[in-house]
Structures are given as C-alpha cells and as structure tokens.
Amino acid sequence: MRRQNDQQPLGRRERKKQERREIILAVARKAFKEVGFDSASMETIADQADIAPATLYNYFANKSALLSGVLWSDFSIRDFDLANFTTILDKSPCKVIFTLLEQYFRWFSEYDRRLIRQFASDAIRAPYDSDRGYHDLESLMFQNIARHVGSLQEHGKLDPALDRDVISRLIFNVGNSEFYAFISDEALTLDAILAGIEAQIELILGGIL
C-alpha cells in the first residue's frame, strides 16, 4: 500500500516543516506510549519538541489529530501488500486473505489498546475532523482486500464471475468486527482473534470454492 511519490522535491522551507512535524510525531509517540493519551498534554509535547504550544496547534488542531498523525505516520512505512503475487500462488485463497488481515492485526497489536480505542472513538464522535483519520484507514483496508480478491480472480484462484466487492465486503466485515472485539476486550489475545478470523474466512471462501 505504499504510494509512489511523483512530486517535485520539497523546497527548504517545506523540508524544515516536514522535519519539525516528524519531531513532533516522535515526541508525541513517546508520550502516548509512556503516559497514555489522557495524561499526555499538548503543552508538554510542545515543550519536549522545543516549540511553542501555538506552533504545535498550527500542525495539529488537537490531541486527537496528533494521535491520528502518529498512527498514520507508522502506517505509511508499513507494506501490507503481498506484492510478489507469484510467490503465493501455491497457497489457498483463504490463506492469502488471512495473511493480509493478519498483517493489519499484528500492526494494531503493537499499540496499547487504549490508544486504538481512542483513535476509533474520536472517529465516531467527529468523523470529519481529520483528513487522515480512522475511516480513511478503513477505506484503505477495504481497497487492499478488494485488490487481493481481484488478483486471486485474475490468477484463477477464485471464480472471476463472483462479485469482487461483495466478497471483499464480507471479508472486511469479519476483520472489522474482530477489530472492535480486540480493542474492547483486553482479555482477548491476538492468537484467539486471528484464529477466529481464519475460521470465518474459511467459512466465507470455502463455501464458494
């Protein structure tokens, strides 16, 4: 899911802004990890980033936007794409799709679940406050599932007559429901969640193969 950057190189001013933004994100990431979302104040983050609070608010309108920025920054350096598709043609469609969802869940599991709950709840309360929020992440996840389903169809692993978007939506809904279970119940282990996802994907795709 990495994007090609075909833009012109950034000028000096833009580079400075980008560098400052990365410093802010690094400080916020550390603060959220060490003291949690509620206890990490914008003023303290600004101080530790060696900028004025007003400058911080020029970059991020509020703490929720800052959390979104941290998660998106981490997300953007990950590759959730099974790029070399020929290397997985010997796997079943169920295994291919499960592997994709497993990558997402292993990424989520690296964070304190309270942070992910905050990220999701902010999206429910104010879904349009951020141009790169939780709903955008959901959209990218669905698109990636759909691309993998389409690749399976193109390689003859799934019937090309099947509606790609319908199958993808079913798979996405499995991942989404298990995601909410995972962040809501601290007692649920990652292995238990992944086992449930794999079983449901087997049920969905097994019924149409």
Side-chain angles (χ1 to χ4, degrees):
M1 294 178 67
R2 291 172 179 165
R3 299 170 180 80
Q4 295 295 324
N5 185 358
D6 56 0
Q7 297 178 349
Q8 294 296 319
L10 294 176
R12 182 178 179 182
R13 183 177 181 181
E14 287 74 19
R15 287 200 308 272
K16 287 292 185 182
K17 288 181 65 175
Q18 184 62 31
E19 289 169 3
R20 177 172 286 176
R21 187 177 190 276
E22 292 303 320
I23 291 172
I24 292 170
L25 291 175
V27 170
R29 185 182 292 109
K30 184 172 184 290
F32 291 151
K33 179 178 180 180
E34 292 181 349
V35 302
F37 181 84
D38 290 336
S39 297
S41 71
M42 293 288 276
E43 290 73 18
T44 299
I45 290 170
D47 181 63
Q48 293 178 352
D50 197 25
I51 58 175
T55 302
L56 175 57
Y57 283 104
N58 285 335
Y59 282 85
F60 298 97
N62 49 51
K63 193 161 54 169
S64 294
L66 184 51
L67 174 60
S68 180
V70 167
L71 293 175
W72 270 97
S73 176
D74 294 347
F75 177 81
S76 67
I77 64 174
R78 295 301 186 94
D79 190 353
F80 296 99
D81 198 2
L82 306 179
N84 187 2
F85 207 84
T86 59
T87 65
I88 58 173
L89 287 180
D90 59 331
K91 296 182 179 180
S92 71
C94 296
K95 191 64 175 178
V96 170
I97 296 300
F98 168 72
T99 300
L100 175 63
L101 291 182
E102 181 185 23
Q103 291 178 43
Y104 282 111
F105 274 80
R106 292 200 180 280
W107 176 66
F108 281 125
S109 71
E110 294 175 5
Y111 298 91
D112 187 315
R113 296 188 206 189
R114 289 172 294 182
L115 283 180
I116 305 299
R117 284 198 295 270
Q118 185 70 46
F119 185 45
S121 65
D122 287 342
I124 293 171
R125 288 197 301 267
Y128 306 112
D129 274 4
S130 175
D131 60 349
R132 300 194 78 188
Y134 176 74
H135 296 302
D136 300 290
L137 185 60
E138 283 188 321
S139 178
L140 284 176
M141 189 181 299
F142 173 78
Q143 292 170 26
N144 208 18
I145 291 170
R147 288 195 302 106
H148 282 73
V149 170
S151 293
L152 287 166
Q153 291 176 310
E154 291 169 9
H155 286 82
K157 304 285 281 187
L158 282 177
D159 186 349
L162 295 171
D163 190 312
R164 184 193 69 167
D165 286 346
V166 170
I167 297 172
S168 301
R169 181 59 60 185
L170 286 171
I171 294 167
F172 172 81
N173 287 341
V174 166
N176 206 35
S177 64
E178 294 296 331
F179 165 78
Y180 279 106
F182 180 63
I183 66 172
S184 300
D185 187 350
E186 296 283 348
L188 275 177
T189 66
L190 178 61
D191 286 343
I193 286 291
L194 291 176
I197 290 173
E198 189 167 24
Q200 292 177 76
I201 291 174
E202 289 279 356
L203 187 62
I204 292 171
L205 295 184
I208 61 178
L209 292 176

